[in-house]
Amino acid sequence: MKSDYQRPLDWRHGRIDLNHGAGGRAAAQLVDELFARCFDNDWLRQGDDGAALPALPPGHRLVMATDGHVISPLVFPGGNIGCLAVHGTVNDVAMLGATPLYLAASFILEEGFALAELKTIVEAMAAAARAAGVAIVTGDTKVVERGKGDGVFITTTGVGALPPGRSVSGANARPGDLVLLSGTIGEHGVAVLSQRESLAFETQIVSDTAALNGLVAAMLAAVPDGAVRTLRDPTRGGLATTLNEITRQSGVGIELDEATIPLQPQVAAACELLGLDPLYVANEGKLVAIVAPEAADAVLAAMRAHPLGTQAVCIGRVGVDAQRFVQMKTRLGGRRIVDWLSGEQLPRIC
Amino acid sequence: MKSDYQRPLDWRHGRIDLNHGAGGRAAAQLVDELFARCFDNDWLRQGDDGAALPALPPGHRLVMATDGHVISPLVFPGGNIGCLAVHGTVNDVAMLGATPLYLAASFILEEGFALAELKTIVEAMAAAARAAGVAIVTGDTKVVERGKGDGVFITTTGVGALPPGRSVSGANARPGDLVLLSGTIGEHGVAVLSQRESLAFETQIVSDTAALNGLVAAMLAAVPDGAVRTLRDPTRGGLATTLNEITRQSGVGIELDEATIPLQPQVAAACELLGLDPLYVANEGKLVAIVAPEAADAVLAAMRAHPLGTQAVCIGRVGVDAQRFVQMKTRLGGRRIVDWLSGEQLPRIC
């Protein structure tokens, strides 16, 4: 067999150049020595421009979700863009009630990006995928000139299997349902912002980035199909935006009780300092569940028994509201509308 | 129902700002008024962070492929990044012998990008998807600051259904098989380069960008399963790189006959002017097929009967070669090795 490459990649000093995206020998070398090695599985080893995968279990429907990741900085307390890109898409698939199975990964690299940094990110992706029980089965790499990108952007697309008869959607909430939250809010956004702005808080705030498919499986197993109406991970735009999306989809209102929403004291302090409302700050390892009232205790118990749901609580109730408002009873006993933000609170948070 | 937006998007003068990627009201408006409207289908209308799709036909395996598109310029003779992003991924799914069904689309937009230009691109995507018979069922939009991107990058991920018993892979070529090519080479790369460099040729050269799933279906229907060993679209790196990938995967050699490889005269002239070898220039609407010798006539006839394969020809033969070389009998009767290029001939060609 001919030797395909002159010499191995230089992981200490090497940098991405335009050749790595050109489909020639340098591109093949990057795939072989980095992506194929880290993500190693039967489907990647096929070496085709796509993956031929097994059939889904009989009767199971297909679920598909995609997310581009452009977070800045690439590394933050608690993770980096690599694990985030796995968690974000695994979670989107899981939130539809499906079991995430396979991921595709597309990398857009900027010329000059350090190979060492890319390796760290790809290794984090591989570890996150293994931990979540999904395989990264196909991918693509492009390179853009210096100043036309920002280090690395990663788009992941996930597919999963949805068992027959199950429907979990933002459109399924009904008046009388309860709103559950799996834990404290705001860590991811505050962790990224503090890193970006080089802010030092007394206690380091760490992103909550995590794959939630295990938690979802435990919740769905605890009650009959249909009792869990909606699952959603409150990422960009935070809890407030997610709840507004649900009221819009389902044509209902939601009433929250502020005192029940868990918040780490250091996150509360940081938000106050930064002028952020934690209700709008991104999370990457939390979920909101809208559940039938009679199922709420069982779902909460299942959540609290899982490591990612120990602080799960009921934070409110779905009501009838032609205006589809999310309202909140404040700590002081007042009442306010928790509206959509018109725009950006924190850019490039995921 | 409350009014979700202050006023409609300004398609004439509006520009992307960071709010459009923030998951708030502006982001929802962009999704509603552009993506959901252009791509309209039942699954997008679900409004969730992913799509719950039907089950695949019984026994069919899942095929998945992803491609990031970073082409520059965004618009070129014969198409734009939108239709290219559909064709590229539809073709990758089809090249595994599967029927492409669904696409996910992830957009990374640069702050300041004109809404009018984005609309043109998204409309081209929608038209290309309809023409190819696939639905764009889920998506994501991110915005990066000015100078951290380049207008728009689009990653598309496709899934398809692979019938039981069918295996089409770059690893399946066997000595004695014939190498078929669906038509002339080099148009896409030359069209993009001429646009980029503002070169004017006597005849305008137009990209061949096209969805090949219909052509593939006709080819596969013409012969028993197994007779079509390999299908591959020679995109980045061109025909030469694609054939080298196949010899590497299958552990064989390939012998080409240069005189049989079809080339438009104006592409030949442009390549000579630009110092490009057309064997390495990207195509976006051509395919290479490796077929069992006894099936070659039937496959060729099926190709020629299809509008995208009228100029299909046999260009060579698979042989035994421990060194996995692609060799070519030149027009002058000589013989040369058609090697991998080490790097970039044309950056950002797709």
Side-chain angles (χ1 to χ4, degrees), chain B residues 248-337:
Chain B
R248 191 168 90 139
Q249 274 183 269
S250 289
V252 296
I254 285 178
E255 292 213 15
L256 299 177
D257 180 351
E258 184 175 21
T260 61
I261 299 173
L263 192 62
Q264 294 178 2
Q266 67 268 35
V267 171
C271 283
E272 205 167 302
L273 187 73
L274 297 164
L276 297 174
D277 182 340
L279 287 175
Y280 295 89
V281 176
N283 312 276
E284 290 289 344
K286 297 296 167 4
L287 65 79
V288 170
I290 312 274
V291 300
E294 67 277 10
D297 286 343
V299 175
L300 262 183
M303 292 169 83
R304 289 176 180 156
H306 190 279
L308 294 175
T310 52
Q311 299 184 72
V313 282
C314 177
I315 60 168
R317 179 181 291 274
V318 178
V320 176
D321 185 345
Q323 297 195 286
R324 307 177 184 192
F325 282 142
V326 177
Q327 301 193 55
M328 187 163 77
K329 195 177 84 185
T330 66
R331 271 174 214 280
L332 302 174
R335 203 172 198 78
R336 71 172 175 100
I337 288 177

Side-chain angles (χ1 to χ4, degrees), chain A residues 83-96:
Chain A
C83 62
L84 184 73
V86 170
H87 296 154
T89 295
V90 162
N91 292 348
D92 280 349
V93 172
M95 295 305 138
L96 291 169

Side-chain angles (χ1 to χ4, degrees), chain A residues 109-306:
Chain A
L109 304 170
E110 185 189 9
E111 182 186 16
F113 190 56
L115 284 176
E117 195 168 358
L118 180 60
K119 187 160 183 265
T120 301
I121 287 165
V122 170
E123 286 170 347
M125 277 186 90
R130 272 194 300 275
V134 297
I136 299 173
V137 295
T138 190
D140 182 58
T141 308
K142 295 291 191 309
V143 180
V144 295
E145 303 89 338
R146 210 180 286 264
K148 302 291 186 185
D150 197 14
V152 57
F153 302 140
I154 306 175
T155 292
T156 46
T157 306
V159 298
L162 184 64
R166 182 179 293 168
S167 168
V168 178
S169 165
N172 292 354
R174 304 178 204 171
D177 288 347
L178 297 179
V179 181
L180 312 183
L181 175 65
S182 67
T184 53
I185 61 170
E187 288 106 273
H188 177 74
V190 170
V192 173
L193 193 67
S194 63
Q195 178 79 7
R196 197 186 288 169
E197 310 290 339
S198 302
L199 299 176
F201 300 111
E202 273 183 43
T203 321
Q204 193 185 42
I205 297 164
V206 173
S207 167
D208 58 336
T209 185
L212 296 168
N213 50 332
L215 174 61
V216 168
M219 293 165 67
L220 292 171
V223 291
D225 265 348
V228 176
R229 321 278 202 211
T230 303
L231 295 167
R232 194 66 67 90
D233 53 337
T235 53
R236 268 189 298 184
L239 180 62
T241 303
T242 292
L243 294 177
N244 272 286
E245 286 168 3
I246 294 169
T247 60
R248 190 169 89 139
Q249 274 183 269
S250 290
V252 296
I254 285 178
E255 292 214 15
L256 299 176
D257 180 352
E258 184 175 22
T260 61
I261 299 174
L263 193 61
Q264 293 179 3
Q266 66 269 34
V267 171
C271 283
E272 205 167 303
L273 187 73
L274 297 164
L276 298 174
D277 181 340
L279 287 175
Y280 294 89
V281 176
N283 311 276
E284 291 289 346
K286 297 295 167 5
L287 64 81
V288 170
I290 312 275
V291 300
E294 67 277 10
D297 286 344
V299 175
L300 262 183
M303 292 170 83
R304 289 175 180 156
H306 189 279

Side-chain angles (χ1 to χ4, degrees), chain B:
Chain B
M1 179 185 169
K2 72 184 172 190
S3 157
D4 281 323
Y5 319 119
Q6 262 80 34
R7 50 179 127 150
L9 290 170
D10 177 356
W11 293 112
R12 285 181 66 180
H13 306 292
R15 294 190 173 273
I16 289 293
D17 63 47
L18 289 171
N19 290 330
H20 290 115
R25 191 168 287 184
Q29 182 176 20
L30 186 66
V31 169
D32 287 357
E33 295 187 19
L34 181 59
F35 299 114
R37 195 168 290 174
C38 286
F39 299 151
D40 186 50
N41 57 61
D42 286 348
W43 304 291
L44 263 187
R45 277 194 295 270
Q46 292 167 352
D48 288 312
D49 288 343
L53 303 161
L56 297 185
H60 282 57
R61 286 160 293 155
L62 188 67
V63 159
M64 194 174 184
T66 195
D67 253 327
H69 296 85
V70 301
I71 190 169
S72 173
L74 297 171
V75 180
F76 50 84
N80 65 35
I81 189 174
C83 61
L84 184 73
V86 170
H87 296 155
T89 295
V90 162
N91 292 349
D92 280 349
V93 172
M95 295 304 138
L96 291 169
T99 302
L101 297 170
Y102 308 110
L103 291 183
S106 158
F107 295 82
I108 299 176
L109 304 169
E110 185 187 10
E111 182 186 15
F113 190 57
L115 284 176
E117 195 169 357
L118 180 61
K119 188 160 182 265
T120 301
I121 287 165
V122 170
E123 286 171 347
M125 278 187 88
R130 271 194 300 275
V134 298
I136 299 173
V137 296
T138 191
D140 183 58
T141 309
K142 295 290 190 310
V143 180
V144 295
E145 303 88 339
R146 210 180 287 264
K148 302 292 186 184
D150 196 14
V152 56
F153 303 141
I154 305 175
T155 293
T156 45
T157 306
V159 298
L162 184 64
R166 183 179 293 168
S167 168
V168 179
S169 166
N172 292 354
R174 305 178 204 169
D177 289 347
L178 296 179
V179 181
L180 311 183
L181 175 65
S182 66
T184 52
I185 61 170
E187 288 107 273
H188 177 73
V190 170
V192 173
L193 193 67
S194 62
Q195 177 79 6
R196 198 186 288 169
E197 309 292 340
S198 302
L199 299 176
F201 300 111
E202 273 184 43
T203 320
Q204 193 186 40
I205 296 165
V206 174
S207 168
D208 58 336
T209 185
L212 296 168
N213 50 332
L215 175 61
V216 167
M219 292 165 66
L220 291 170
V223 291
D225 266 346
V228 175
R229 321 278 202 212
T230 303
L231 294 167
R232 193 67 67 90
D233 53 338
T235 55
R236 268 189 298 185
L239 180 63
T241 303
T242 292
L243 294 177
N244 272 286
E245 286 169 5
I246 294 169
T247 59
R248 191 168 90 139
Q249 274 183 269
S250 289
V252 296
I254 285 178
E255 292 213 15
L256 299 177
D257 180 351
E258 184 175 21
T260 61
I261 299 173
L263 192 62
Q264 294 178 2
Q266 67 268 35
V267 171
C271 283
E272 205 167 302
L273 187 73
L274 297 164
L276 297 174
D277 182 340
L279 287 175
Y280 295 89
V281 176
N283 312 276
E284 290 289 344
K286 297 296 167 4
L287 65 79
V288 170
I290 312 274
V291 300
E294 67 277 10
D297 286 343
V299 175
L300 262 183
M303 292 169 83
R304 289 176 180 156
H306 190 279
L308 294 175
T310 52
Q311 299 184 72
V313 282
C314 177
I315 60 168
R317 179 181 291 274
V318 178
V320 176
D321 185 345
Q323 297 195 286
R324 307 177 184 192
F325 282 142
V326 177
Q327 301 193 55
M328 187 163 77
K329 195 177 84 185
T330 66
R331 271 174 214 280
L332 302 174
R335 203 172 198 78
R336 71 172 175 100
I337 288 177
V338 178
D339 203 359
W340 295 82
L341 280 196
S342 67
E344 191 75 63
Q345 200 181 24
L346 292 176
R348 298 186 61 187
I349 207 68
C350 61

